Amino acid sequence: MPSLVGSEMCIRDSPVYREAGKLISSARKIFTTGAGTSYHSLLLGTYFMSNIANISLLPSFASDFQSLHAPLCTKDDILIAVSQSGETKDVKNACEAFRANNGGKIISILNNLNSTLAEKSDIILPIASDLEVSVPATKTFTNQCLLFLLLAQQCINKSIDIDRLKNAVEDTISLSHRITPSVLRSIKHRKEFYILGFGITYPVALEAALKIKEVSYLHCEGMHSGEFKHGPLSIVEDGYPVFIISAKEDKIYTLSHIHEVKTRLGKVITIAPEDEQLKASSDVFVPIPCEDRYLFPIVASVFFQILAYKLAVDLGIDPDYPRNISKTITVD
């Protein structure tokens, strides 16, 4: 089960988080950078900060930070660098470029407190996920997202009920084991499919697709559902599977995007809080037991982690050690 309590306890008990909140609230610009799964967590964090704290973050891939943002950095800006290991070379390069261009302070969000990134940082925010052995990040992603949510609420002096999130995750794990076989039947014999998200669920679609690619070697593309009609919709044919992730508040958009796929005879698998209209419009409906707009993306990601795992096992692939990648990327 994802480690959820660590980040919450840290943010309640440590003045470091209060200091980070004040620094973020007073910065001229807030750049944030990461790679892979960490990038997806900070992208979700961008939605949290915008929606909850009315604070704008400037996200970028770590490998693109130097050319995209580094020339704009000043001493009044901050960089939030996200990395599970604290040794990701692209992220360390981004921090060096930030410093070299008269950048201000660096806040790191990481799991390894004895890392190079920790040494380069002014403030360290631990995600407290304990050791994650498998190559694909799961509980570290969950805790990175949770930390961004807590940090956004720290900026406006509010807090969430952590027990609601823990209960929803536990219920989703139980649900996933029951419903995953029907989902797998829906994508059986398919070598590619899409996962769509809208707004706050878009980063989850990207992360879900990454997890499935990593451990099953099938081509799965994550995309904003509002962009699907601008070209990719042409790939849909009879039986083509499309996953759509929807928060409760985005139902009207989700119904429109389901219709786009269904009228082309595609097969829609919807992941959303319980809703009869969405269920009736979908070929397969996965009822995530969470209606909270900000907790739902975190909980929904757990379903896809389990789906990716079961898909890999069905294909005879070891999901802990996928080919061609390693736990820590230390090259440019």
Side-chain angles (χ1 to χ4, degrees), residues 15 23 46 90 150 161-162 171 174 197 219 241 257 259 267 311:
L23 188 61
T46 300
D90 291 339
L150 295 168
D161 181 355
I162 201 71
D171 291 344
S174 177
H219 180 252
H257 300 153
H259 179 72
K267 180 178 292 184
L311 185 58

Side-chain angles (χ1 to χ4, degrees), residues 245-284:
I245 314 167
S246 177
K248 181 180 178 180
E249 294 81 357
D250 299 327
K251 172 181 172 179
I252 185 172
Y253 303 104
T254 301
L255 287 170
S256 174
H257 300 153
I258 287 175
H259 179 72
E260 289 171 357
V261 176
K262 294 286 286 182
T263 54
R264 278 79 178 180
L265 304 180
K267 180 178 292 184
V268 174
I269 304 104
T270 302
I271 294 84
E274 187 70 66
D275 185 281
E276 289 303 317
Q277 196 172 5
L278 288 176
K279 184 176 182 179
S281 301
S282 309
D283 294 285
V284 178

Side-chain angles (χ1 to χ4, degrees), residues 289-324:
C290 179
E291 293 193 353
D292 185 285
R293 178 167 183 78
Y294 304 117
L295 299 182
F296 172 76
I298 302 175
V299 177
S301 70
V302 173
F303 165 76
F304 280 103
Q305 291 170 357
I306 294 173
L307 177 64
Y309 166 80
K310 288 185 174 292
L311 185 58
V313 171
D314 278 5
L315 292 171
I317 298 167
D318 184 346
D320 287 335
Y321 300 100
R323 67 190 182 199
N324 301 336

Side-chain angles (χ1 to χ4, degrees), residues 169-219:
V169 168
E170 289 172 351
D171 291 344
T172 298
I173 292 172
S174 177
L175 164 77
S176 299
H177 289 302
R178 295 197 311 270
I179 203 168
T180 299
S182 65
V183 177
L184 291 175
R185 286 194 295 272
S186 297
I187 60 177
K188 194 174 183 179
H189 306 309
R190 291 283 180 173
K191 295 187 179 297
E192 61 174 54
F193 41 91
Y194 275 87
I195 300 178
L196 309 182
F198 185 88
I200 202 165
T201 62
Y202 167 56
V204 178
L206 295 179
E207 174 61 14
L210 174 60
K211 281 293 159 286
I212 289 172
K213 282 193 287 270
E214 278 184 306
V215 303
S216 73
Y217 314 148
L218 300 176
H219 180 252

Side-chain angles (χ1 to χ4, degrees), residues 54-242:
N54 199 30
I55 293 174
S56 179
L57 305 186
L58 297 170
S60 72
F61 294 113
S63 55
D64 201 34
F65 180 84
Q66 187 164 357
S67 59
L68 182 62
H69 289 316
L72 307 175
C73 299
T74 74
K75 62 181 178 58
D76 298 316
D77 303 327
I78 63 172
L79 173 64
I80 302 175
V82 188
S83 170
Q84 183 278 138
S85 67
E87 301 296 346
T88 307
K89 187 64 162 59
D90 291 339
V91 178
K92 293 193 292 185
N93 289 347
C95 291
E96 291 170 2
F98 180 74
R99 294 286 199 208
N101 284 274
N102 301 311
K105 294 187 181 296
I106 295 175
I107 298 173
S108 63
I109 294 175
L110 42 74
N111 200 35
N112 181 7
L113 303 185
N114 299 311
S115 61
T116 305
L117 179 58
E119 294 175 359
K120 293 178 180 290
S121 303
D122 298 287
I123 296 177
I124 302 168
L125 301 181
I127 61 172
S129 292
D130 204 355
L131 182 64
E132 185 164 65
V133 177
S134 68
V135 172
T138 51
K139 65 181 181 179
T140 52
F141 172 77
T142 307
N143 267 28
Q144 285 170 345
C145 294
L146 174 59
L147 190 146
F148 270 110
L149 176 57
L150 295 168
L151 191 57
Q153 295 190 325
Q154 175 74 26
C155 290
I156 58 171
N157 296 315
K158 289 190 176 182
S159 62
I160 64 171
D161 181 355
I162 201 71
D163 287 332
R164 282 199 302 151
L165 178 57
K166 291 197 294 184
N167 292 337
V169 168
E170 289 172 351
D171 291 344
T172 298
I173 292 172
S174 177
L175 164 77
S176 299
H177 289 302
R178 295 197 311 270
I179 203 168
T180 299
S182 65
V183 177
L184 291 175
R185 286 194 295 272
S186 297
I187 60 177
K188 194 174 183 179
H189 306 309
R190 291 283 180 173
K191 295 187 179 297
E192 61 174 54
F193 41 91
Y194 275 87
I195 300 178
L196 309 182
F198 185 88
I200 202 165
T201 62
Y202 167 56
V204 178
L206 295 179
E207 174 61 14
L210 174 60
K211 281 293 159 286
I212 289 172
K213 282 193 287 270
E214 278 184 306
V215 303
S216 73
Y217 314 148
L218 300 176
H219 180 252
C220 181
E221 187 170 351
M223 179 173 287
H224 194 290
S225 61
E227 289 294 300
F228 196 56
K229 59 182 174 289
H230 297 292
L233 188 59
S234 65
I235 202 169
V236 176
E237 58 183 1
D238 190 3
Y240 189 94
V242 177

